[in-house]
Amino acid sequence: MIQLPIPELRKNLVDTGLIREGDFTSAVKDAEYTGKNFIDILISRRLITYEYYINFVSEYFKIPRADMAAPHRIPAEVLHLLPEEIARQKRSLVFAREADGTIDVAMESPDDLAAIEFFEKYFKARVKPFIATERFLQQGYTLYSQESSQNFLSVIEENVRESERKKLKGLEEAAVDLPIVSIVDNLVSYAVAMGASDIHIEALEDAILVRFRVDGILREMMRIPKSVHPAITARIKLLSALRIDEHARPQDGRFRYKAIGEIMDIRVAVMPTFYGEKIVMRLLRASTKPLSLTELGMFDDTALGVEENLKRTYGIILVTGPTGSGKTTTLYSMIEILNRPEVNVVTIEDPVEYDMRYVNQTQANPVAGITFASALRAFLRQDPNIIMVGEIRDNETADIAVNAALTGHLVLASLHTNDAPTSVPRLIDMSVPPFLVAAVVNIIVAQRLVRKICIDCIESHKTPSEIIQAVEEQLQLIESKVKVPHATYKGRGCYSCGLTGYRGRVAIYEVANIDGEVRQLISNPKFTLEAMKHILRSKGMISMLEDGLRKAEHGFTTVEEVLRVIRE
C-alpha cells in the first residue's frame, strides 16, 4: 500500500485533529517494532478508514482512482497484456489502453517507480498509474480465474491421456513424469485462484474424485480416471517428503509451493481408504498477515470488550469453536495486538500457520517430545509475559495453562466447545477445580464462520417465511427478544463468486465476559451451566445467532447462511 512520509501524515492527521498525538506516536513505534505498514496499523485501530486514506492519497499525489466498475468491462486482450502471475506479484491490473497507446495500470502502490519502469519496458509503451483498492484488484483477478476455469478441465484431461499412453515402470518414475507433474501443478494453481482452503483427492471404485473446499463448502471439480491415482499420489508424497512405498498407514507432511505469484505452505494428510489412499491438502498463504478484530467481523461493542481483556497482565483468554471455525486466526489477531517491544511472547502450535515477527513460535512435535504440555513447562523457564497455546486438549495441558495464568502470565488458548459458557464445564471435566477456573478465566470468545455475500452481485432480499420461522424457533430456545429481519440482502450469483452468491467468510461471535458475579457462580458447588447462561444473558451477552442476524441486517451475510451454521 502506498504510504506518505511520516511527517506529512502527522501534519495532515494530527495537526488537523483527526488523530490524537499519543495514538499517532504509539502507531509509529509499533510499526517500527513489528515491521508492519504504518497505515495498516492506523486502519486496524480504527483511527482512520481504508476509504478515507485511499481518497486522501489520491488527492495528495494527484493520482486518479481506478473506476470501481472497470474490472467487469476490461476487454480480454487488454487484461492479458499482463500475465496473471506478474499482475498478482506486482499487485497491479491492466484495465485500459488509450488511443495514443498509453497503458492504464491500476496499482496498489502507484508510487513504486521501479514497478512503473518495469511495466514501461515490458509493454514498450507509456504507463499511466492509477490507485487501486483491494476490492478493485480482487474483482480483476477473478477475470483471470474465469478463463482458468475454462482451460482447467481440458488441460487436466489432456495430461491424463498423455500419462495413460505412457507405460511407466514404477512410482518413482511416475512421480516425476511431466503429465503427472502438470496435473498436480494445475490442481494446486486452480485451487489457489479459486481461493480454496483445501483440496480433496478421493479414491472411488472407478475414478478419482477431486473436490475443493471454498468458503467452507466442498465443491466437486472433476473426476479423473482411476488409472492415474497411484502416480498422482506418488507425486504429492514426493513433494511432501513422505514414503512413496507406504500405502497401509496414514502419513502427514508439508511442502512449499509457488502458484500464480503466491507462496503457499501446503499441509498434506494421506489416509488409506477402501479403494485407495485419500489425500487432503490444506492451503495456507505464507504471506498472510493477521487481521484486526474489526476485519475478522467483530462489531465495536464486541471488539472493545476483547481489547479491554487483552490489556490484562494475567489470566486466560479462551477462543472456542469446532474445527475450521477460525479460532487460530482470531488468536493470531490477538497476539498481533499484544506484540510489543516490552513483552516476551511465546507460542506452541500445531502447526505454526503464520510467521510473526518477534514472536517465539514453537511447532508441536510429539516424536521429538514437544507436546503442548511439555512446551508449556519449558516456556515457564523462558521468562514469558504472554503464552499462546494452540489447543487445550488434555488434563495436563489444562493444569499447566491454569498454573501459568495464576503465576502472572497472560495465556491465550483455543478449546473445542459449541458455545462460550460450555467452556467452563469443559475445563472442569479436565480436572481443573471450579475455584481455579473462576480465578483465571477472563473472557471466552466462541465463534463460527459464515459465508459473506458477494459484493459484486449483492441485492435486496425478502427473507423467506420458512427461514423466519426456523430462526424464531432458535431464538426462543435462548429466550431472545431479537426480531428476525424480514428485508435483508443476498447475492444473485455472478462470475466473481462462481454463481453461488457468496465470496469470502466472516466470523460470528459470542463473547462471555467473566466478571465477579460469574466467578462466584462458577465457584459455587451448586453451579449449573443453565444458571451461568442466564447470568451472562442478563448482563447483555449476545449469542452467535443474534450476532449473525446483526451481520445479515448490515448486508455481510444472509439469514439462511447464519441458520445453516448455527444449526450445524
Side-chain angles (χ1 to χ4, degrees), residues 97-160:
R97 179 160 45 189
E98 298 180 15
D100 64 356
T102 298
I103 306 296
D104 293 345
V105 182
M107 304 175 65
E108 188 176 64
S109 300
D111 62 335
D112 188 345
L113 298 180
I116 294 173
E117 183 181 359
F118 168 83
F119 289 139
E120 289 185 336
K121 289 181 179 178
Y122 186 87
F123 299 131
K124 296 182 175 59
R126 178 176 172 269
V127 166
K128 182 178 179 180
F130 288 72
I131 292 179
T133 62
E134 174 68 21
R135 177 184 174 187
F136 183 94
L137 292 177
Q138 291 305 323
Q139 284 178 324
Y141 295 154
T142 59
L143 299 180
Y144 287 110
S145 299
Q146 290 169 26
E147 184 167 298
S148 298
S149 65
Q150 295 167 6
N151 296 333
F152 172 64
L153 288 175
S154 60
V155 170
I156 294 290
E157 289 169 357
E158 175 57 35
N159 281 286
V160 167

Side-chain angles (χ1 to χ4, degrees), residues 496-511:
S496 296
C497 59
L499 304 178
T500 63
Y502 298 98
R503 191 174 66 189
R505 288 191 289 178
V506 67
I508 56 175
Y509 293 97
E510 177 178 273
V511 178

Side-chain angles (χ1 to χ4, degrees), residues 47-180:
L47 297 174
I48 61 173
T49 66
Y50 178 71
E51 279 297 314
Y52 171 86
Y53 184 71
I54 291 295
N55 290 330
F56 174 72
V57 169
S58 176
E59 293 177 10
Y60 182 88
F61 285 106
K62 308 302 180 188
I63 299 175
R65 283 186 59 165
D67 179 12
M68 286 301 297
H72 299 298
R73 302 198 304 265
I74 301 175
E77 65 274 13
V78 172
L79 178 74
H80 290 284
L81 287 173
L82 194 64
E84 181 180 6
E85 184 167 352
I86 297 177
R88 289 180 181 268
Q89 283 177 343
K90 301 292 186 182
R91 299 294 297 159
S92 304
L93 195 73
V94 175
F95 67 95
R97 179 160 45 189
E98 298 180 15
D100 64 356
T102 298
I103 306 296
D104 293 345
V105 182
M107 304 175 65
E108 188 176 64
S109 300
D111 62 335
D112 188 345
L113 298 180
I116 294 173
E117 183 181 359
F118 168 83
F119 289 139
E120 289 185 336
K121 289 181 179 178
Y122 186 87
F123 299 131
K124 296 182 175 59
R126 178 176 172 269
V127 166
K128 182 178 179 180
F130 288 72
I131 292 179
T133 62
E134 174 68 21
R135 177 184 174 187
F136 183 94
L137 292 177
Q138 291 305 323
Q139 284 178 324
Y141 295 154
T142 59
L143 299 180
Y144 287 110
S145 299
Q146 290 169 26
E147 184 167 298
S148 298
S149 65
Q150 295 167 6
N151 296 333
F152 172 64
L153 288 175
S154 60
V155 170
I156 294 290
E157 289 169 357
E158 175 57 35
N159 281 286
V160 167
R161 286 193 295 269
E162 178 64 23
S163 177
E164 289 181 315
R165 284 195 292 267
K166 294 186 176 183
K167 302 298 181 182
L168 301 176
K169 295 180 180 179
L171 291 176
E172 292 82 0
E173 185 181 357
V176 295
D177 187 45
L178 285 178
I180 297 299

